[in-house]
Amino acid sequence: DLTCVKFQLHFLSVSHRFAKNLSPDKINLSTLKGEGQLTNLELDEEVLQSLLDLPTWLAINRVECNKAAIRIPWTKLKTHPISLTLDKVVMEMSTCDEPRPPNGPSPIATASGQSEYGFAEKVVEGISLSINSIVIRISAKAFNASFELSQLQVYSVNTSWNISDLRFTRIQDPQRGEILTFKEISWQMIRIEADAIQSAEHDMLSAPIRLITNQSKIRVTLKRRIKDCNVVASKLILILDDLLWVLTDSQLKAMVQYAKSLSEAMAKSAQQRKSMATEDQGSSAHPSAQQVRTQQAATAADQNATMAKLFSDYDVCETSHHLQITHLDLHICDDIHAKDRVINKRITGGAMQLSFSSITLDYYPFHRAGDSCSRWMHYSEATKARESWARNLLDEFKSNVEMLKSAVRDHQGSVPAHGSPQHGTMCMGLYPPPSQSPKTQLMSSSFVLRMADFSIYQVSTADQRRSSPKTMISCNKKSLYLPPEMPAIHVEFTEYYFPDGKDYPGKTYITCSNYPSLPKLRKVPSQH
């Protein structure tokens, strides 16, 4: 029918946008009938960067695929996904010393002829992707890294994270004009390797770093605007099961060096992201009682009211990224074959075991300062206590800013019109006039680290005869009768900034360590 023909044209437009060397002669008639195969594809780097929303300190240089097969259920597009199978994908990436231009709009939205989220966008977004093998090579200034993933799958899921009818993988609220979609990414195994680059600038003698993990998955929730398909907020959760990692001391030193080599580029990229942040990316305020009554009055059917409640239950109020590790066993061993023998070690060939349980790391890059954190994941009494004293510090900060503005106005009024040019320039550089006061909302970027339990064992050597290592430091919650849901470690780090990137007096006040209020902003209460 006409809808099917329109989607065929839309699908061809999207395919042409993703692939560089895709010509009409490569799309055979069987593709339009529901199945087809393509070989030796070269994908568009900029489109993939926008689709994956990569940070601006990382760039894609080349992406190639040897073989791709597609199956399109033309008569069941509303309920069944399009299946896209890729055999082997090779992606080459590099780090950027200076942040590259920010990512463009979603290619799914720009490839269609209409800007509104419609039938074609739903079908394309619900595509099920399967990749037998994907190799990602990253070139950095101080090291080269590679990631090899096997049996990677991307598919749409319902609110319970199960594969189901495509109609249940999205929640739409017409009153808000927004839609939620749920995706899951899983793989059987990932192999990570990193090796130092020997050069005059980075003369590091380090052993290659290797890590092999078992089956893992990523859960993604996207909130889009219906009118233009733009992503308003997203939630990404990386879930790792049990990890066993054996590191030598030279490999541990190499990891620190690699992190230092990336820190400057990542800091510049973070500053660029903050300067381009908008209030739409911040935490969404809950509707007022009057708005709720108006929406309820405008709701004509009980089904719409139920859908609005369901949307509210799974709503993504702000963009966030999360890491969950069930259990991590880290073994640090002495590298007896290392060339660096500057330090005289008391024990040769020693090893230490560190065990951590239920590690969660949450990152909220665009949280409005002073807003409630009740919708955060793993919200607990520790975050609730931090929220109260942080709000008091923000109130004190706002009061001090108003006092500073008043002092600047009084000072400018007392300076003669023909005063010292140098003095006037200095005052204007330190304290901008009230007309230049920030009009944007003060934002915050927060990291939350939780750890349910941990154990650090004694150093052991090959000469010691011991069936199991002895604990040196641990958190024994059972003997202290502490509740099991209470984490052994809870740390929150919050940084405040203005989205326009300007260094207002308020920003200097918060980040300057000379002020007595600053340590409270970065200190965790002792009782937590």
Side-chain angles (χ1 to χ4, degrees):
D1 55 5
L2 182 59
T3 304
C4 182
V5 174
K6 287 183 178 179
F7 176 73
Q8 289 179 1
L9 297 176
H10 174 78
F11 179 77
L12 293 177
S13 175
V14 173
S15 302
H16 184 269
R17 182 157 178 79
F18 274 86
K20 276 186 174 182
N21 58 346
L22 186 62
S23 56
D25 58 318
K26 289 191 175 183
I27 304 178
N28 50 36
L29 293 177
S30 61
T31 304
L32 301 180
K33 293 179 181 179
E35 59 183 14
Q37 184 171 317
L38 301 172
T39 57
N40 300 326
L41 290 177
E42 186 178 357
L43 305 183
D44 193 296
E45 305 89 17
E46 295 185 0
V47 172
L48 288 178
Q49 282 179 173
S50 301
L51 181 66
L52 300 175
D53 196 20
L54 292 179
T56 55
W57 60 270
L58 195 61
I60 300 178
N61 300 327
R62 187 175 64 91
V63 183
E64 291 183 351
C65 175
N66 65 337
K67 185 170 60 176
I70 188 169
R71 184 178 296 274
I72 306 176
W74 291 117
T75 59
K76 302 177 181 179
L77 287 176
K78 292 184 178 180
T79 58
H80 291 68
I82 296 174
S83 298
L84 180 61
T85 303
L86 307 180
D87 182 26
K88 183 177 181 180
V89 177
V90 178
M91 181 183 298
E92 295 183 359
M93 310 176 70
S94 61
T95 59
C96 307
D97 295 337
E98 296 294 331
R100 59 174 174 79
N103 301 319
S106 171
I108 296 178
T110 56
S112 62
Q114 57 184 16
S115 60
E116 187 176 353
Y117 189 89
F119 173 74
E121 285 72 27
K122 292 179 181 179
V123 175
V124 174
E125 192 174 48
I127 290 178
S128 176
L129 175 64
S130 177
I131 305 177
N132 295 330
S133 174
I134 178 171
V135 179
I136 304 174
R137 302 188 183 99
I138 301 178
S139 299
K141 183 186 296 184
F143 65 96
N144 290 326
S146 65
F147 299 79
E148 297 183 18
L149 293 87
S150 61
Q151 301 301 321
L152 183 140
Q153 294 184 343
V154 183
Y155 43 87
S156 298
V157 292
N158 56 20
T159 55
S160 300
W161 304 104
N162 297 320
I163 300 177
S164 65
D165 191 314
L166 282 182
R167 293 172 294 182
F168 304 134
T169 61
R170 64 181 72 95
I171 305 175
Q172 184 172 342
D173 188 354
Q175 299 295 330
R176 296 173 182 246
E178 296 172 339
I179 185 169
L180 294 173
T181 56
F182 305 88
K183 304 284 288 188
E184 188 169 271
I185 307 170
S186 64
W187 56 86
Q188 284 190 356
M189 185 194 71
I190 180 172
R191 179 186 178 92
I192 305 174
E193 291 188 4
D195 198 359
I197 298 176
Q198 305 298 330
S199 63
E201 185 178 358
H202 300 281
D203 188 14
M204 291 186 295
L205 297 175
S206 60
I209 299 173
R210 294 183 177 89
L211 173 64
I212 300 177
T213 68
N214 52 3
Q215 186 174 4
S216 306
K217 56 190 172 184
I218 298 176
R219 292 175 174 175
V220 183
T221 305
L222 296 177
K223 181 165 73 171
R224 299 179 184 271
R225 280 198 298 260
I226 298 176
K227 64 178 182 179
D228 54 10
C229 297
N230 286 343
V231 177
V232 179
S234 62
K235 179 190 290 186
L236 187 148
I237 307 174
L238 172 58
I239 302 175
L240 302 176
D241 293 332
D242 296 348
L243 290 181
L244 173 61
W245 200 359
V246 180
L247 286 173
T248 63
D249 51 359
S250 59
Q251 290 176 327
L252 196 60
K253 293 176 183 177
M255 289 182 60
V256 175
Q257 294 295 329
Y258 298 163
K260 287 182 179 180
S261 67
L262 294 176
S263 59
E264 184 178 356
M266 295 177 67
K268 292 180 180 179
S269 178
Q271 186 62 34
Q272 180 195 47
R273 184 190 67 248
K274 293 174 184 178
S275 64
M276 301 182 64
T278 61
E279 293 191 10
D280 290 341
Q281 294 173 300
S283 51
S284 302
H286 296 286
S288 62
Q290 180 64 30
Q291 291 175 336
V292 172
R293 286 192 296 268
T294 302
Q295 292 178 2
Q296 291 176 349
T299 304
D302 294 339
Q303 183 178 3
N304 292 339
T306 304
M307 190 62 67
K309 183 181 183 303
L310 186 64
F311 187 97
S312 180
D313 292 339
Y314 294 95
D315 187 18
V316 180
C317 296
E318 60 182 300
T319 296
S320 59
H321 309 284
H322 310 271
L323 171 64
Q324 298 179 3
I325 302 177
T326 304
H327 191 85
L328 172 62
D329 274 328
L330 182 63
H331 295 257
I332 302 177
C333 308
D334 181 21
D335 192 354
I336 58 177
H337 301 292
K339 298 180 181 180
D340 186 7
R341 288 297 176 186
V342 178
I343 302 176
N344 295 324
K345 299 179 180 180
R346 296 177 58 186
I347 299 177
T348 303
M352 175 180 284
Q353 178 181 347
L354 296 86
S355 180
F356 309 99
S357 300
S358 298
I359 304 172
T360 62
L361 178 62
D362 305 325
Y363 175 45
Y364 301 90
F366 308 113
H367 184 74
R368 292 177 185 171
D371 279 6
S372 174
C373 304
S374 59
R375 297 297 294 266
W376 284 12
M377 291 185 64
H378 312 103
Y379 184 75
S380 61
E381 291 296 326
T383 303
K384 188 176 181 181
R386 172 260 177 200
E387 194 174 345
S388 61
W389 55 258
R391 186 177 293 108
N392 294 333
L393 291 174
L394 285 173
D395 293 339
E396 180 184 355
F397 158 71
K398 293 177 182 178
S399 176
N400 292 337
V401 169
E402 293 300 325
M403 293 175 57
L404 181 60
K405 290 180 182 178
S406 178
V408 171
R409 285 193 295 265
D410 295 342
H411 178 77
Q412 290 175 348
S414 63
V415 174
H418 301 286
S420 172
Q422 182 179 2
H423 179 73
T425 303
M426 181 182 66
C427 290
M428 291 296 292
L430 291 176
Y431 307 107
S435 60
Q436 297 180 4
S437 59
K439 298 180 181 179
T440 54
Q441 174 76 33
L442 180 66
M443 307 289 287
S444 66
S445 174
S446 299
F447 284 92
V448 185
L449 173 65
R450 300 177 183 85
M451 191 180 300
D453 201 354
F454 69 92
S455 295
I456 301 176
Y457 298 91
Q458 294 180 358
V459 176
S460 59
T461 62
D463 299 333
Q464 294 175 331
R465 302 294 181 182
R466 186 184 302 159
S467 58
S468 60
K470 292 184 178 179
T471 304
M472 181 174 61
I473 302 174
S474 65
C475 176
N476 194 352
K477 294 194 292 186
K478 291 184 179 180
S479 62
L480 298 176
Y481 299 100
L482 298 176
E485 66 273 8
M486 179 179 180
I489 296 177
H490 182 106
V491 179
E492 295 191 24
F493 175 82
T494 302
E495 179 184 6
Y496 295 86
Y497 64 94
F498 286 107
D500 55 11
K502 294 182 180 179
D503 194 7
Y504 294 108
K507 181 179 178 182
T508 305
Y509 172 77
I510 292 181
T511 58
C512 180
S513 59
N514 293 330
Y515 288 89
S517 300
L518 174 65
K520 299 179 182 178
L521 286 173
R522 299 190 178 183
K523 184 186 296 183
V524 181
S526 58
Q527 63 267 29
H528 299 294

